[in-house]
Amino acid sequence: MLHKHRIALAAGIGALSMATLPASAQNADAISDGVVKIGVLNDQSGIYADMAGSGSTIAAQMAVEDFGGKVLGKPIEVVAGDHQNKPDVGSAVANRWIDVDKVDTIVDLPTSSVMLAIQEIGRQKNRLVIASTGGSSDFTGKFCSPVGIHWTYDTYGLAVGTGQPLASRGPWYFLTADYAFGHALERDTSEAVTKAGGKVAGGVRHPQGNHDFSSFLLQAQSSGAKIVGIANSGADTVNAIKQAHEFGLTSSGVQLAGLYMHITDVHAIGLEQAQGLLMTQAFYWDLNDETRAWSKRFYERHKAMPTMGQAGVYSSLIHYFKAIEAAGTDEAQAVAKKMKELPVNDFFAKNGKVREDGRMVHDLHVFEVKKPEESREPWDYLKLVRTIPGDQAFRPLSEGECPLVKASQ
């Protein structure tokens, strides 16, 4: 009998010791395939290459290095792919990464049609999808997923930031990219303008990667609108704004609203033509000491200041690695659960929170593009107009139509 008691006591001590060990020591298989592999999927060579592209890959590599290169004792690797802004190409890359290369999470994802396609693959194959530069608010709305996290901004937040302040300045007309992101941005901005008492006179849609905006701008001019909402992104935004100046649209009293712009767009347009534009940002390199410190490190490697999407890639991955440590595994749903439990406090966001629908809620900032004479140094392009608290910047859970939220109520 005494011998049995000793065995039981030894077993109890062993169980207690295991409980106090780090998760990595408790479970040697906590990290699938012995490595945490990150796939940065974006436009590496097309119209969104400046706002995402190689800069997002650099941001991911910086996150890995700053975290120490390992999580739960296992190495972290980064791979990069070009989805060419095509859902079929992006889906093929994602499937190969998951099935063959054992990628654990896919990040960045500009072009909302690609982002939404990858969201579905992540849902089916239980892989975390963290969107930073893709924008459609449907990602955490009707297409939300238990393993989908939307980090940096979305079309609802952009509409609140840029659409509402300009709502009363006259009828709106939209120049919209004809794909999922443009449609969502026009929809969300139209709703924001209407709620604020403004009117929408109409709109026209153009193909993604368009070069000649003359016919679209003439339609906007003839509409009688006072505000033309540029509901596109990347090189399309740059070309549309430049050509609007060339065609005399702005000199005729029409105001342009850059509904989705990055600092790289301002850089490409130039302050002479971009001055006065309002733009909503989740991050700006010159916002405070913390943003400046990180951005200067990024600049040393990329030779351009970071966009909000690139900064978001870094921030989201640091949070992801912390969540793996907290969960004791890299299994997607367990990590997503921890990402929603842990607060976000870094140079990118203070007191951020990932909601149950996957939306990371944090403050957004409205900036005005400076006049040339106001700029003190290269990349000194923006001045802060106002900060929108996170609970006002993003769509309420009750309005998102996310099935995960309905199921929890």
Side-chain angles (χ1 to χ4, degrees):
M1 182 67 69
L2 181 60
H3 177 66
K4 289 182 179 179
H5 280 301
R6 285 175 177 170
I7 292 174
L9 179 61
I13 292 173
L16 179 62
S17 299
M18 286 294 290
T20 59
L21 284 174
S24 55
Q26 291 183 43
N27 183 3
D29 299 322
I31 300 299
S32 57
D33 308 301
V35 61
V36 173
K37 190 170 288 189
I38 311 299
V40 181
L41 186 57
N42 60 28
D43 177 359
Q44 295 274 326
S45 56
I47 62 174
Y48 305 141
D50 287 345
M51 73 181 195
S54 61
S56 291
T57 305
I58 288 171
Q61 291 167 339
M62 288 175 64
V64 173
E65 293 164 11
D66 289 352
F67 204 77
K70 293 183 178 182
V71 60
L72 295 181
K74 300 298 182 182
I76 308 169
E77 296 179 3
V78 175
V79 296
D82 187 348
H83 61 43
Q84 301 174 35
N85 301 310
K86 300 175 181 177
D88 58 338
V89 173
S91 296
V93 173
N95 280 314
R96 185 184 74 249
W97 275 355
I98 294 170
D99 298 339
V100 178
D101 300 327
K102 309 304 179 185
V103 164
D104 296 292
T105 188
I106 298 175
V107 303
D108 203 15
L109 297 169
T111 306
S112 291
S113 53
V114 180
M115 176 184 72
L116 294 172
I118 304 307
Q119 168 93 314
E120 189 56 32
I121 292 171
R123 186 202 316 273
Q124 294 173 0
K125 298 189 174 183
N126 195 37
R127 289 294 187 276
L128 203 62
V129 176
I130 308 175
S132 185
T133 45
S136 173
S137 61
D138 290 338
F139 186 83
T140 55
K142 59 185 177 182
F143 299 127
C144 69
S145 163
V147 289
I149 307 290
H150 211 173
W151 199 260
T152 303
Y153 77 99
D154 63 25
T155 51
Y156 185 97
L158 297 177
V160 169
T162 309
Q164 283 186 355
L166 298 175
S168 61
R169 297 193 186 181
W172 278 64
Y173 190 89
F174 288 93
L175 182 61
T176 303
D178 194 12
Y179 75 105
F181 169 76
H183 299 172
L185 185 53
E186 179 183 335
R187 177 199 67 206
D188 290 346
T189 307
S190 294
E191 291 178 359
V193 168
T194 303
K195 285 181 181 179
K199 296 181 179 180
V200 176
V204 63
R205 292 178 174 177
H206 67 81
Q208 186 183 38
N210 192 60
H211 297 287
D212 183 3
F213 285 89
S214 56
S215 64
F216 306 117
L217 291 169
L218 288 172
Q219 291 180 63
Q221 194 170 37
S222 63
S223 72
K226 296 299 183 182
I227 303 288
V228 174
I230 310 296
N232 53 25
S233 57
D236 282 342
T237 299
V238 172
N239 289 332
I241 291 175
K242 283 185 172 181
Q243 291 175 35
H245 282 274
E246 292 169 6
F247 277 86
L249 197 66
T250 52
S251 60
S252 68
V254 174
Q255 182 171 356
L256 302 180
L259 298 176
Y260 176 54
M261 294 184 65
H262 289 269
I263 191 172
T264 47
D265 300 326
V266 177
H267 188 74
I269 296 167
L271 292 182
E272 188 63 41
Q273 293 186 333
Q275 61 180 301
L277 283 170
L278 289 181
M279 51 193 289
T280 302
Q281 300 285 286
F283 166 89
Y284 177 49
W285 76 269
D286 200 20
L287 191 61
N288 55 52
D289 288 343
E290 286 184 277
T291 60
R292 282 188 286 272
W294 183 84
S295 297
K296 288 177 181 178
R297 290 175 52 216
F298 178 91
Y299 183 87
E300 290 175 1
R301 298 172 70 154
H302 192 52
K303 304 308 177 188
M305 282 300 179
T307 64
M308 61 176 172
Q310 291 161 344
V313 167
Y314 177 99
S315 174
S316 66
L317 284 176
I318 292 292
H319 193 70
Y320 170 64
F321 301 147
K322 290 178 179 178
I324 291 176
E325 283 193 333
T329 177
D330 64 352
E331 191 276 323
Q333 294 200 37
V335 175
K337 184 174 183 292
K338 285 298 179 183
M339 290 183 76
K340 294 172 183 178
E341 293 175 359
L342 298 174
V344 181
N345 280 297
D346 59 12
F347 71 89
F348 180 85
K350 299 301 181 188
N351 301 313
K353 167 70 176 175
V354 182
R355 296 189 313 204
E356 56 196 290
D357 62 349
R359 172 70 261 168
M360 202 278 271
V361 176
H362 54 91
D363 294 350
L364 293 179
H365 312 284
V366 180
F367 292 92
E368 181 180 334
V369 179
K370 290 183 174 182
K371 298 175 182 178
E373 60 270 23
E374 294 176 315
S375 179
R376 306 180 309 275
E377 59 181 310
W379 297 93
D380 175 27
Y381 296 152
L382 308 179
K383 54 186 177 183
L384 183 65
V385 175
R386 66 189 179 112
T387 294
I388 309 171
D391 59 355
Q392 299 174 29
F394 294 102
R395 179 179 57 207
L397 273 173
S398 59
E399 298 177 11
E401 300 181 21
C402 172
L404 299 176
V405 176
K406 291 180 180 179
S408 66
Q409 290 177 342

